Amino acid sequence: MQGFATEFSSAIALILNGDAELWAIVLLSLKVSIFAVLISALIGMPVGAALAVARFPGRRMLIILMNALMGFPPVVVGLLVYLMLSRSGPLGVLELLYTPTAMIIAQVVLVTPIVAALTRQVVEMLAEEYSEQLRSLGVSRLASVPVLLWDARLALVTALLAGFGRAIAEVGAVIIVGGNINHVTRVMTTTIALETSKGNLALALALGAILIGIAVAVNAMVSTLSLRAEKEGLRHA
Amino acid sequence: MRDLAPEMIRCISVSGLQISKNGTALLNVPRLNLDGPGPTMILGPNGAGKSLLLRCLHGLIAPDTGRVEQDGVPLNKDHKARQAMVFQKPVLLRRSVAANMDFVLKRRGLQRTVRKARIAELLAEGGLESKARQSARSLSGGEAQRLAILRALALDPDTLFLDEPTSALDPSATQMIERMILRASTRGVRIVMVTHDIGQARRLAADIVMMQGGRVVEHGDARQVLDAPQSDASRRYLAGGLVT
Ligand SMILES: Nc1ncnc2c1ncn2[C@@H]1O[C@H](COP(=O)(O)OP(=O)(O)OP(=O)(O)O)[C@@H](O)[C@H]1O
Ligand SMILES: [Mg+2]
């Protein structure tokens, strides 16, 4: 118990004293996950919106596939991205393995289905509600996409935050493709795992506290926005 | 707002219109000509097919058989671009009141400053000027209906379909909207409106279309239909309507 208290106070000291190593790790985590979410938004939102408004054979299959991808185990995603990026893999020439870029790719693979699925859900609901009015105004199916995305903005930001929450808290995929290399690819979650196993609890605890802070803040924003979206009659699971 | 020459008022005609779902006929209108100079009011009990007919006239649903023509030409994109419709249940964008107006004005390709002035003008006319920045979804039922009507008028249409546009309005708002509708009609806008308010039909209608069970049971001069209905269905509907 004595040891735990010491670790705890040195964890607090690490945070308060602005420990360079600690903050470098936090910064890299944020950078990787924010990048990943932005890229996921660029891919996931148009794909989700297209699935919501377009009608083509195989659409249902794609939606089911997308929903299935949402529940994909992160470790397996890590493994697959590893195989793609490894020296003998199809993208091996890019030499991305064990770089932050590799971690971003893994998180994009994890987050994009979430963003796409949630976008599809809200946009489809809105499209149904707006359909006749927009047609009456002569807005084509294609031209209705930006209108729907804009009007679903609250729910979409919520989806992005949820994606960010998943990305930043994720360990399995990131440790496989990033390799947890000191000063290069160590993010909060992978560092916590490593330092805990090494017995360096102070750093692990400090990072844990910050991670919790971020998670709580993100979730608070998600609930606030969800409540507002709900008031506008727009909700998703 | 541009005046339309009175002789230029759009004529809408329907022939052989039929819509059925699961074997039941929802709409069966062999012939209907809306070519008088004044507002047409569509009356009839719940489920008579009034909203369905309006949707067909506006080209939102394609009938199983038959066709809708404007000025003798099958309804086309250009016609529809000059039509506006106010739905029975107002559909407002999840934006501010002003942004809802701006959305349709932008579609008409108007300049920013022109749009701003027009929005202020229309909102003032509809008594919503103090709500300009409020989220449209937070409007009261009557306010929402008013916004939907103002938004349709902002399109400056030559044909205006209105589906029970004053069903949620208080008496003074109803009066205000009725004045706006009459003004549009005098400017040469073809008005086709569904209402359950017989007093309103009396105030506004030049001609009345009486519907029941998907059919037009009577179409004629407003006074004549209201005071000396020719069909049983009209008589029954009006008798019930006058009682309530
Ligand atoms: N998509 C549909 N599928 C099946 N039935 C439909 C469909 N759309 C309309 N109907 C039916 O067609 C009939 C006419 O509907 P419509 O909405 O035109 O009625 P209405 O005259 O406008 O009635 P109200 O006064 O209640 O607004 C109703 O019985 C309705 O249930
Ligand atoms: Mg109706």
Side-chain angles (χ1 to χ4, degrees):
Chain A
M1 246 21 239
Q2 173 65 34
F4 186 75
T6 332
E7 299 283 10
F8 203 77
S9 54
S10 43
I12 293 171
L14 277 179
I15 298 175
L16 295 182
N17 297 339
D19 180 76
E21 190 189 358
L22 173 91
W23 288 108
I25 293 169
V26 172
L27 206 66
L28 181 66
S29 289
L30 289 174
K31 256 198 241 170
V32 166
S33 296
I34 288 173
F35 251 111
V37 168
L38 288 180
I39 296 170
S40 298
L42 285 179
I43 306 170
M45 292 214 255
V47 167
L51 283 173
V53 297
R55 291 290 174 269
F56 54 89
R59 172 178 170 272
R60 281 187 60 82
M61 274 306 296
L62 273 178
I63 291 175
I64 291 169
L65 186 73
M66 195 173 64
N67 288 335
L69 280 180
M70 248 203 316
F72 227 65
V75 178
V76 181
V77 169
L79 176 60
L80 294 179
V81 174
Y82 176 90
L83 291 174
M84 297 291 286
L85 297 181
S86 70
R87 209 156 278 264
S88 50
L91 300 177
V93 285
L94 300 177
E95 300 197 343
L96 290 175
L97 204 59
Y98 306 138
T99 64
T101 310
M103 298 194 287
I104 293 176
I105 293 173
Q107 292 193 354
V108 166
V109 174
L110 282 171
V111 174
T112 303
I114 301 178
V115 174
L118 293 178
T119 303
R120 203 271 309 165
Q121 211 175 321
V122 257
V123 170
E124 192 165 316
M125 216 188 76
L126 258 193
E128 208 162 291
E129 183 190 325
Y130 284 7
S131 152
E132 282 203 317
Q133 179 66 67
L134 288 181
R135 274 198 297 138
S136 168
L137 292 171
V139 181
S140 69
R141 234 180 234 280
L142 190 64
S144 72
V145 170
V147 180
L148 296 168
L149 284 176
W150 177 250
D151 276 28
R153 59 198 176 278
L154 266 183
L156 293 180
V157 170
T158 314
L160 291 186
L161 281 172
F164 177 79
R166 170 153 168 146
I168 198 134
E170 200 284 319
V171 205
V174 158
I175 208 163
I176 293 178
V177 302
N180 207 17
I181 303 167
N182 207 355
H183 303 304
V184 183
T185 57
R186 287 178 75 177
V187 289
M188 287 190 276
T189 50
T190 59
T191 310
I192 291 173
L194 180 72
E195 297 301 327
T196 307
S197 67
K198 286 200 321 199
N200 181 4
L201 291 185
L203 184 55
L205 274 172
L207 288 169
I210 294 170
L211 191 54
I212 287 176
I214 293 173
V216 167
V218 166
N219 276 312
M221 282 192 273
V222 168
S223 339
T224 316
L225 288 172
S226 301
L227 279 177
R228 277 181 58 187
E230 219 170 299
K231 250 177 94 188
E232 297 201 339
L234 255 194
R235 214 176 63 147
H236 55 66
Chain B
M1 194 169 275
R2 162 191 45 80
D3 274 347
L4 305 153
E7 68 275 10
M8 284 294 290
I9 188 165
R10 300 297 174 204
C11 295
I12 297 173
S13 58
V14 159
S15 56
L17 203 67
Q18 270 182 327
I19 294 181
S20 14
K21 264 261 157 73
N22 311 322
T24 44
L26 298 180
L27 209 54
N28 182 2
V29 181
R31 188 126 233 117
L32 181 66
N33 284 315
L34 305 180
D35 50 11
T40 301
M41 302 278 133
I42 304 178
L43 269 63
N46 292 140
K50 305 179 296 295
S51 299
L52 217 49
L53 177 63
L54 227 48
R55 282 192 172 86
C56 277
L57 296 181
H58 187 28
L60 285 178
I61 33 182
D64 299 339
T65 66
R67 63 195 206 172
V68 176
E69 292 182 345
Q70 180 178 297
D71 302 327
V73 181
L75 194 65
N76 62 37
K77 241 183 131 156
D78 294 334
H79 295 153
K80 288 190 220 174
R82 300 298 326 266
Q83 300 182 339
M85 175 149 171
V86 176
F87 292 87
Q88 189 165 355
K89 227 167 75 192
V91 183
L92 299 176
L93 302 178
R94 285 165 172 73
R95 310 174 183 198
S96 72
V97 168
N100 263 274
M101 299 293 283
D102 201 45
F103 183 77
V104 302
L105 291 173
K106 240 190 225 154
R107 290 202 60 76
R108 286 178 53 201
L110 297 180
Q111 290 288 311
R112 207 182 134 78
T113 45
V114 181
R115 298 203 306 265
K116 273 189 97 159
R118 189 83 187 101
I119 291 169
E121 189 186 340
L122 278 161
L123 289 182
E125 213 177 326
L128 289 179
E129 64 273 47
S130 65
K131 309 276 177 190
R133 308 174 68 124
Q134 193 175 320
S135 146
R137 299 275 300 185
S138 65
L139 292 176
S140 78
E143 288 166 347
Q145 210 167 35
R146 245 146 64 189
L147 177 58
I149 298 166
L150 295 174
R151 196 178 55 182
L153 287 170
L155 280 168
D156 197 9
D158 62 21
T159 305
L160 182 54
F161 299 106
L162 302 130
D163 200 345
E164 302 186 35
T166 60
S167 60
L169 299 190
D170 64 47
S172 88
T174 303
Q175 219 177 58
M176 176 174 78
I177 294 300
E178 286 183 2
R179 270 202 300 273
M180 289 168 89
I181 292 169
L182 279 179
R183 226 176 308 147
S185 175
T186 345
R187 277 204 325 274
V189 178
R190 160 77 53 208
I191 307 281
V192 185
M193 172 166 158
V194 175
T195 184
H196 284 298
D197 180 344
I198 292 163
Q200 179 169 66
R202 209 175 272 284
R203 291 190 293 276
L204 300 184
D207 57 317
I208 287 182
V209 173
M210 189 67 75
M211 294 191 70
Q212 194 190 27
R215 294 168 184 275
V216 171
V217 291
E218 196 166 340
H219 178 208
D221 177 73
R223 297 265 160 273
Q224 150 123 42
V225 174
L226 291 175
D227 297 332
Q230 297 300 299
S231 69
D232 265 358
S234 306
R235 265 195 293 278
R236 274 201 308 276
Y237 177 77
L238 291 170
L242 285 174
V243 169
T244 50

